[in-house]
Amino acid sequence: MNSSTTQKIDIQKVSTSRIGDVDFDNLTFGSTFSDHMFECDYKDGEWQNPTIKPYGPLTISPAAKVFHYGQAVFEGMKAFKDEDGKVWLFRPEENFNRINRSSKRMAIPEFPKDIFFEALTTLVKMDKDWVKPGLGNSLYIRPFVMATQVGVSASPSTEYKFMILMSPAQAYYTGDVKVVIAEHYSRSANGGVGAAKAAGNYGAQFFPTNLAREKGFQQVIWTDASDHKYLEEAGTMNVFFRVNDTLLTAPISDRILDGVTRKSVIAIAKRDNINVEERPVLVSEIVEAAKNGSLKEIFGAGTAAVISPVSAFSYKETVYELEMQKNGFATRFKNELMNIQYNRSEDPFGWRFEVV
């Protein structure tokens, strides 16, 4: 499939911004969107008509293949504003590369890098007033692709729409997060699409997560599909376990998402000479560590939440409480990541990307 295009972006600006109608102190994550959005269509073997236009609804056939066969992938990114009003992205090339890996796995044509970055930076610059300064404030960016060919035959679509939406955001999780270790349901399986940010991965999580919430837990720590012996991800995040002063996390595979925050945490930990083990993590070893006191922390890592500490987990109807660490690894990594993202500290890794 050809992923090239020679067309420039057509820009259509709103006549009046909606920003004055938004209460930025009371945002519900992912429900308010900025003035503009980007869209580009794949037809006749090429990406064409890249356009930035006012945010609004789409007209799409009910027979579009995305509704019938789930050909859709997405990404999650953020823009941050520093104290001088400069706007920054965090490792955007990682998101670009991953959405194309996800697309390839779902038989969707890859998107051109030049158009992706031109659209992304132009869109953020146009709606930069929607990026509010202050730690915890950001502009959440959602690139996604969906199959738009009309027809219900079970075959890959020949037409697609690539879009970017942006939504002002505050902190994703507030308060303690309690999780259930899955004993029956799984997020993904060997040879599946767990490593892709495919829309169906997340839809399949909702039912078991609802069951967990009925019991007073916010999320599920997923286990392997074969025997439910190994810990893999937590909700929509990669998950880390601190046993004494060693950091454990599941290795990347076709079941595990290659998280940008995950790899950033690992890079910081290794730089600071923290022992990191990327290996299969047994449920039994974490339960035993909780019993003998060597389990110090569990935390999720992802774009939306950044770092989300876990205060308790349940396994086989037994709840294990964790003493929250005031200056633990979770706090340390979150502070360091956010200081880089908001241009409050040096960026020794070269992760910041200024939108100019």
Side-chain angles (χ1 to χ4, degrees), residues 92-109:
E93 191 153 340
E94 295 287 344
N95 298 99
F96 167 75
N97 290 334
R98 190 170 62 185
I99 199 169
N100 273 344
R101 291 197 302 270
S102 297
S103 293
K104 186 175 181 179
R105 179 61 182 85
M106 297 298 292
I108 296 171

Side-chain angles (χ1 to χ4, degrees), residues 144-307:
F144 67 100
V145 197
M146 59 182 173
T148 54
Q149 182 191 355
V150 175
V152 295
S153 60
S155 59
S157 178
T158 59
E159 298 180 358
Y160 299 87
K161 186 179 289 290
F162 187 104
M163 300 193 68
I164 303 176
L165 309 179
M166 303 195 302
S167 175
Q170 295 173 301
Y172 191 64
Y173 290 116
T174 57
D176 293 345
V177 175
K178 298 181 179 181
V179 300
V180 175
I181 293 179
E183 299 174 49
H184 175 70
Y185 295 102
S186 295
R187 176 185 173 275
S188 60
N190 290 337
V193 296
K197 284 187 75 72
N201 287 351
Y202 298 82
Q205 294 183 22
F206 296 155
F207 176 68
T209 301
N210 284 345
L211 297 180
R213 287 175 177 165
E214 289 172 3
K215 296 182 178 182
F217 299 89
Q218 285 77 41
Q219 287 292 350
V220 176
I221 293 185
W222 306 105
T223 50
D224 66 287
S226 299
D227 302 304
H228 300 287
K229 290 181 179 180
Y230 296 98
L231 297 155
E232 301 202 327
E233 293 192 17
T236 59
M237 301 175 286
N238 295 110
V239 63
F240 289 85
F241 306 89
R242 176 187 173 187
V243 178
N244 291 319
D245 287 328
T246 295
L247 203 57
L248 308 178
T249 193
I252 294 302
S253 68
D254 56 9
R255 303 191 312 274
I256 307 293
L257 188 70
D258 186 11
V260 178
T261 309
R262 173 192 181 276
K263 64 177 62 178
S264 302
V265 166
I266 291 171
I268 292 171
K270 289 183 175 180
R271 183 204 61 187
D272 293 345
N273 296 315
I274 294 171
N275 186 36
V276 180
E277 296 181 8
E278 296 178 70
R279 63 168 175 80
V281 181
L282 285 162
V283 176
S284 58
E285 70 177 301
I286 296 304
V287 170
E288 179 57 31
K291 290 178 178 178
N292 65 31
S294 61
L295 179 63
K296 305 301 181 184
E297 296 178 76
I298 300 175
F299 58 89
T303 297
V306 188
I307 302 291

Side-chain angles (χ1 to χ4, degrees), residues 17-24 130:
S17 174
R18 293 178 285 102
I19 196 168
D21 300 328
V22 177
D23 182 357
F24 284 89
W130 291 77

Side-chain angles (χ1 to χ4, degrees), residues 27-32 78 138 140 142 167-172 303-305:
L27 294 170
T28 300
F29 183 83
S31 62
T32 301
K78 282 182 178 178
S138 63
Y140 183 78
R142 170 55 58 89
S167 175
Q170 295 173 301
Y172 191 64
T303 297

